Amino acid sequence: MAASGTAAIQLAVATLTRGGEVIVPAFTHPATIQAVLRAGARPVAVDIEPNHLSVDPAAVQDAITPATTAIVVTHVFGYPADVESLEKISKGSDIPVIYDAAAAAGTRIGNLPLTHYGDASAVSLHATKVLNGIEGGLLVSRNPCLIDEARMLSNFGIRRGRGADPRGFNAKANELTAAVATISLQQIESEMRARRAVLDLYWERLEGHDTIHMLRPSAELAYNGSNCAVRLDRGSGDIAGAVSSALLKRGIETRRYFAKEYDLGTSSRHVEANRAKAEVICLPLWGQMPSDAIEIVCEALVEEAAAANA
């Protein structure tokens, strides 16, 4: 365990890179890119694919240079990146893949959890997540040497019988976080079922609205119900910002993850990432969300999306 999901991704990057260039998504939380900078590497942002908003594997392949030391990929909103294509790229180039799986705890492809893929995955245990410890994080890897090094780095880099590793910092989780996360883990299957039931109601209510498109899992995916993300059609401009502000005035809080205050900057070359930042919002979602609350949110969303496109 780590003190936060941010600490977990920092540990993953620190153990697998030594400077150089690290490929990152142009649509991700700032912590993903900050972890690369903290490790003394240079982030190289690539564009995303439009369906589940994760990195475009073709863009990753094109961005690889002799200076590339790692690839960091985000499972956006708990939906999986194209792990099969990325595994092939990783093996073919001998470059490690680190997954920012902050929102992905519990999501499975077939019988395999998303944390099965890549060289390491960083999971958040923040209170907003399906698996939560109020705060905290997990670093997951099938490489025991990586875990040992990360554990050392998380304890100020203290090495028994030797001097401290200068890359170390205090990333240890506390006992309360561990206790709450343990209870949450025991309840995660029921929480995922409850969230998916809420999503079903959202999908049923919003289906058929031409200007509102919901991100939905593929048939082989067991989704954890992390987020209710919708994409809004626009002629031009920042429709997500307009609709989000209008909903807030009606007492409905939405999140524009990876845009505005979450944004570290995007090149004009990142066409799909820029579109997502202008079009995607996440609606309120929790496992015990009442059906009448879902109806209120949907009705307001439909009205405000229509007004923004008028």
Side-chain angles (χ1 to χ4, degrees):
M1 290 190 70
S4 64
T6 298
I9 191 82
Q10 289 176 351
L11 288 167
V13 174
T15 57
L16 286 169
T17 66
R18 295 292 188 276
E21 297 176 351
V22 175
I23 296 171
V24 299
F27 188 68
T28 189
H29 194 282
T32 313
I33 298 171
Q34 289 163 347
V36 173
L37 293 168
R38 190 183 186 284
R42 185 172 76 86
V44 177
V46 300
D47 209 359
I48 60 173
E49 50 79 25
N51 295 321
H52 287 132
L53 311 179
S54 188
V55 292
D56 180 353
V60 172
Q61 184 69 70
D62 291 343
I64 293 175
T65 73
T68 304
T69 57
I71 302 165
V72 178
V73 176
T74 302
H75 295 307
V76 176
F77 307 140
Y79 289 101
D82 185 348
V83 291
E84 299 296 340
S85 296
L86 292 165
E87 296 281 294
K88 291 178 182 178
I89 292 172
S90 173
K91 291 176 180 176
S93 57
D94 195 27
I95 296 172
V97 174
I98 300 165
Y99 287 107
D100 182 342
T107 296
R108 298 185 301 275
I109 301 176
N111 293 321
L112 292 177
L114 286 189
T115 50
H116 169 82
Y117 297 93
D119 294 270
S121 295
V123 177
S124 172
L125 299 177
H126 188 266
T128 58
K129 302 299 187 287
V130 178
L131 176 63
N132 88 82
I134 304 174
E135 186 55 276
L138 300 171
L139 177 60
V140 183
S141 176
R142 290 176 289 162
N143 182 344
C145 294
L146 183 151
I147 294 298
D148 287 344
E149 183 174 2
R151 187 173 287 118
M152 175 270 296
L153 292 176
S154 72
N155 187 31
F156 305 99
I158 294 172
R159 299 177 291 193
R160 193 178 297 274
R162 293 185 292 165
D165 190 310
R167 297 173 299 150
F169 58 108
N170 184 4
K172 302 187 300 296
N174 61 66
E175 289 78 2
L176 178 60
T177 288
V180 174
T182 298
I183 295 171
S184 180
L185 182 61
Q186 295 168 353
Q187 301 172 347
I188 189 171
E189 292 297 334
S190 61
E191 177 64 17
M192 290 193 299
R193 284 194 298 271
R195 283 171 172 255
R196 287 194 293 261
V198 171
L199 283 171
D200 285 343
L201 291 175
Y202 266 124
W203 291 329
E204 180 182 317
R205 177 62 177 79
L206 294 173
E207 189 174 18
H209 290 281
D210 293 338
T211 60
I212 302 171
H213 310 281
M214 300 194 65
L215 271 67
R216 301 191 67 165
S218 55
E220 72 276 11
L221 183 70
Y223 183 48
N224 67 354
S226 175
N227 292 87
C228 182
V230 298
R231 188 162 199 160
L232 307 172
D233 279 352
R234 61 178 178 132
S236 61
D238 181 20
I239 189 169
V243 172
S244 182
S245 296
L247 290 175
L248 186 59
K249 291 177 181 177
R250 297 171 70 152
I252 300 170
E253 183 178 358
T254 60
R255 292 289 179 93
R256 297 187 59 204
Y257 289 110
F258 316 151
K260 294 300 179 182
E261 63 266 24
Y262 292 92
D263 196 357
L264 281 178
T266 310
S267 166
S268 60
R269 294 179 292 106
H270 302 135
V271 176
E272 292 296 339
N274 287 326
R275 280 190 60 211
K277 290 175 182 180
E279 296 175 358
V280 175
I281 62 174
C282 289
L283 304 178
L285 170 63
W286 65 95
Q288 289 71 45
M289 189 173 181
S291 58
D292 58 346
I294 298 169
E295 180 64 29
I296 290 170
V297 173
C298 290
E299 182 178 338
L301 175 65
V302 170
E303 291 176 0
E304 298 301 345
N309 277 301

